[in-house]
Amino acid sequence: GGAGGPRGVRTRDFDILCVIGMGAYGRVLQVRHKRNRKVYAMKVISKALLRKKNHISYMQAERDIMTKVDHPFVVGLKCSFQTPEKMFLIMDYMPGGELFFHLDREGFILEEVARFYVAELTLALEFLHSIHIIHRDLKPENVLVCHDGHVCLGDLGLAKHRRDARTGGWRACRTLCGTDSYVAPETLRRDRYGPSADVWQFGCFVFELFAGRSPFFGAADEDPRAARRAALEGRWDCPEGLPADARDLIGRLLPPEPLQRLGVVPAPSGPA
């Protein structure tokens, strides 16, 4: 099926340019469509690996969520197709790669650039939440840099569409998932959670943009249990040179109590 890109496509419609990433279930290729000459990212997923881990429904969920998403700061799905052995997702190609690469290389992001990224990702998250999608894995590795310097939120592999059909509100999640240093306290406690978990991850992301490290899992030799306790209690050290307004924003995004976080409304309704 198509989603605003080349339609009725098959693998033979593309020239493979290079491998740009490897994942748990396959690889991501940079490809060029032979007819329109546009460059895309092609995610190639092995159905055998999905079956082995019983994750076929996860991949179908990722594809279904991506078809709902049309936003300038979220990586878009152009189309998807399959063969008996593989699934293919054709997505926007982001030549700047992962923001993590730039952060890792530079150590931190310049303040004016960081503000720009924070603004764009605020709009991306606001859009996802407006259509009842929780991302659940917001981190620099999943933020991609476009050819013109804008950023897009990518990798919807853990995202969930959680609209309650009866009430029109949120249905809560309970699954413990995401990246250790970004997991929200309510998720760690196995409480019901909703978009508040994304707000927490966004706070960790903003901190990392300015400090070059996670607020709770900073040092490589840090005891993971101590870092986990710090996250549960919302204790983070303010790095030297952190701008006052960035410190204020991070403080509003990282309270351990979800309802105290910036922009969070009362807890989701419906069963977990």
Side-chain angles (χ1 to χ4, degrees), residues 94-130:
M94 300 290 160
E98 296 174 2
L99 184 58
F100 175 79
F101 167 77
H102 301 280
L103 193 55
D104 193 47
R105 188 180 60 185
E106 306 294 337
F108 64 95
I109 301 291
L110 292 173
E111 184 180 339
E112 59 268 31
V113 179
R115 289 174 190 272
F116 180 67
Y117 292 165
V118 167
E120 295 197 331
L121 290 170
T122 298
L123 293 172
L125 266 189
E126 185 178 59
F127 167 74
L128 290 179
H129 292 171
S130 76

Side-chain angles (χ1 to χ4, degrees), residues 132-185:
H132 293 88
I133 291 171
I134 311 176
H135 188 277
R136 304 201 300 178
D137 202 18
L138 201 167
K139 57 183 178 179
E141 291 91 328
N142 290 339
V143 175
L144 302 170
V145 182
C146 310
H147 66 92
D148 53 6
H150 292 284
V151 288
C152 279
L153 184 55
D155 197 343
L156 297 171
L158 291 180
K160 280 279 189 188
H161 183 238
R162 301 297 288 175
R163 184 177 182 274
D164 187 310
R166 188 175 54 83
T167 66
W170 283 94
R171 288 172 61 230
C173 292
R174 260 221 171 100
T175 314
L176 176 58
C177 67
T179 302
D180 279 356
S181 53
Y182 277 73
V183 175

Side-chain angles (χ1 to χ4, degrees), residues 52-64:
K52 190 175 175 183
K53 299 200 174 188
N54 203 23
H55 281 180
I56 282 184
S57 61
Y58 287 8
M59 188 51 59
Q60 289 169 334
E62 178 179 6
R63 183 198 60 202
D64 293 347

